[in-house]
């Protein structure tokens, strides 16, 4: 085939780009908007809650920005290196009539989010804490995932 | 209810400047009205009860909060950071600023601002002759 480009590969490329755009791969936190958008009504279809995943030698930390959750609805599950957080953000509900609102910016509802962890974790020793709207999860690494130093012998 | 982030005229009474100098986050809010109060619900995650400041001066409601949050170790994916929260609202009704109630729970700040007697709705009975 003398065609300069492959239609299917081109399609796949486009598909992947759209996926990236929609899933909004974790980018470094940019000033301002990302935070606001994640709470606005109609935009809650974006990744919610926003998470920071950090690690040190022994532990992986996952912090999620999730104010106003009902802690009883919060479920955290780990399968291999995927961590899933599900729960419900409480709205003001029926206690407020629609015409009584001046502003309604806080989205509410059920959510599920799965994040990939950078290393395997010891599921039995995981701890989660929900304080002041921040969910902090501590995931200790198993012995085999911790970095080992190898000494070099010189002949 | 207009939102103000610009300084209002503050010469006469020597009011504090109504602008925050540093970089800040604008917390999303729900505001609704009941017959005798205005309720403001704001998401200010990461703050503590002690670091939240709320005041009403010259019909301007100011909400400030200082969250304390620091990541540990090396970053793998970073989607949010927390700096100070700051937001101001111009109140249309006269609010009884001595009786404002604030409640902070799970990162959500709920303010109840009772309306002053003069601003409460009065029902007028219609007499039919």
């Amino acid at each position: 085939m003398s065609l300069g480009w492959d239609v299917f590969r081109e399609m796949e490329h486009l598909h992947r780009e759209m996926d990236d755009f929609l899933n909004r791969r974790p980018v470094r936190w940019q000033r301002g908007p990302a935070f606001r958008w994640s709470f606005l009504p109609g935009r809650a279809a974006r990744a919610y809650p926003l998470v920071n995943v950090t690690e040190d030698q022994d532990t992986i930390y996952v912090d999620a920005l999730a104010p106003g959750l009902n802690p009883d609805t919060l479920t955290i599950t780990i399968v291999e290196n995927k961590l899933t957080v599900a729960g419900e953000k409480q709205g003001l509900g029926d206690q407020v009539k629609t015409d009584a609102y001046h502003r309604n910016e806080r989205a509410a509802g059920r959510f599920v989010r799965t994040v990939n962890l950078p290393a395997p974790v010891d599921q039995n020793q995981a701890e989660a804490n929900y304080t002041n709207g921040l969910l902090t999860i501590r995931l200790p690494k198993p012995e085999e995932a911790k970095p080992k130093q190898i000494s070099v012998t010189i002949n | 209810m207009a939102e103000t982030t610009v300084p209002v005229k503050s010469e006469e009474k020597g009011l504090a400047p109504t602008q925050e100098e540093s970089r800040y986050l604008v917390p999303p809010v729900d505001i609704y009205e009941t017959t005798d109060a205005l309720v403001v619900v704001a998401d200010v995650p990461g703050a503590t009860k002690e670091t939240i400041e709320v005041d009403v001066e010259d019909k301007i409601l100011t909400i400030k909060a200082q969250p304390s949050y620091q990541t540990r170790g090396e970053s793998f994916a970073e989607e949010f950071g927390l700096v100070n929260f700051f937001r101001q609202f111009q109140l249309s009704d006269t609010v009884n600023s001595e009786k404002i109630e604030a409640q902070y729970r799970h990162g959500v700040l709920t303010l109840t601002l009772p309306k002053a007697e003069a601003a409460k709705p009065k029902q007028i009975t219609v007499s039919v002759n």
Side-chain angles (χ1 to χ4, degrees), chain A residues 15-35:
Chain A
H15 189 227
R16 200 160 44 227
E17 273 199 349
M18 280 304 282
D19 266 1
D20 280 359
F21 176 71
L22 294 173
N23 292 335
R24 272 170 39 94
R25 284 191 165 173
V27 270
R28 296 209 121 247
W29 179 63
Q30 289 147 350
R31 305 183 167 198
F35 171 80

Side-chain angles (χ1 to χ4, degrees), chain A residues 27-29 50-55 61 63 65 67-68 71 89 92 96 100-106 113 132-133, chain B residues 3 28-33 41 43 45-47 69 72-74 76-81 87 104 106-108:
Chain A
V27 270
R28 296 209 121 247
W29 179 63
L50 292 178
V51 294
N52 283 349
V53 183
T54 55
E55 62 171 328
Y61 303 96
D63 301 333
L65 190 68
K89 185 178 177 188
L92 296 171
V96 186
Y101 276 110
H102 287 277
R103 267 163 201 273
N104 189 352
E105 300 170 352
R106 298 167 63 248
R113 182 154 190 211
N132 293 330
Chain B
E3 187 183 340
V29 295
D30 282 352
I31 301 177
Y32 62 91
E33 212 174 316
V41 187
D43 281 340
Y69 169 71
R72 294 142 296 184
E74 263 176 76
F76 175 71
E78 200 177 343
E79 295 178 351
F80 71 91
R87 196 161 182 183
Y104 185 63
H106 298 326
V108 179

Side-chain angles (χ1 to χ4, degrees), chain B residues 12-81:
Chain B
E12 302 109 72
K13 286 199 214 150
L15 294 177
T18 54
Q19 231 177 7
E20 185 90 342
E21 317 81 29
S22 54
R23 206 151 68 74
Y24 59 84
L25 287 168
V26 179
V29 295
D30 282 352
I31 301 177
Y32 62 91
E33 212 174 316
T34 61
T35 42
D36 40 36
L38 194 67
V39 184
V40 178
V41 187
D43 281 340
V44 285
T48 54
K49 217 168 67 181
E50 292 74 31
T51 61
I52 297 175
E53 264 179 67
V54 178
D55 68 81
V56 176
E57 213 167 321
D58 228 16
K59 288 193 198 171
I60 290 179
L61 170 71
T62 307
I63 300 170
K64 281 188 197 179
Q66 296 168 311
S68 50
Y69 169 71
Q70 212 100 60
T71 52
R72 294 142 296 184
E74 263 176 76
S75 174
F76 175 71
E78 200 177 343
E79 295 178 351
F80 71 91

Side-chain angles (χ1 to χ4, degrees), chain A residues 1-16:
Chain A
M1 281 241 310
S2 61
L3 264 172
W5 49 276
D6 183 345
V7 186
F8 295 104
R9 196 195 298 159
E10 207 62 21
M11 289 279 281
E12 204 188 302
H13 179 71
L14 193 68
H15 189 227
R16 200 160 44 227

Side-chain angles (χ1 to χ4, degrees), chain A residues 82-152:
Chain A
K82 286 184 196 301
L83 173 88
T84 303
V85 182
E88 184 166 2
K89 185 178 177 188
Q90 287 166 308
L92 296 171
D94 300 333
Q95 54 164 326
V96 186
K97 273 184 261 159
T98 346
D99 59 355
Y101 276 110
H102 287 277
R103 267 163 201 273
N104 189 352
E105 300 170 352
R106 298 167 63 248
R110 300 187 60 79
F111 63 84
V112 182
R113 182 154 190 211
T114 305
V115 287
N116 287 320
L117 301 172
V121 292
D122 188 347
Q123 302 172 5
N124 300 320
Q125 286 191 51
E127 288 168 28
N129 181 24
Y130 184 60
T131 322
N132 293 330
L134 277 177
L135 176 68
T136 43
I137 307 168
R138 256 185 105 249
L139 305 157
K141 292 181 191 173
E143 225 27 73
E144 59 268 22
K146 290 180 188 172
K148 303 242 163 19
Q149 198 155 9
I150 298 161
S151 55
V152 181

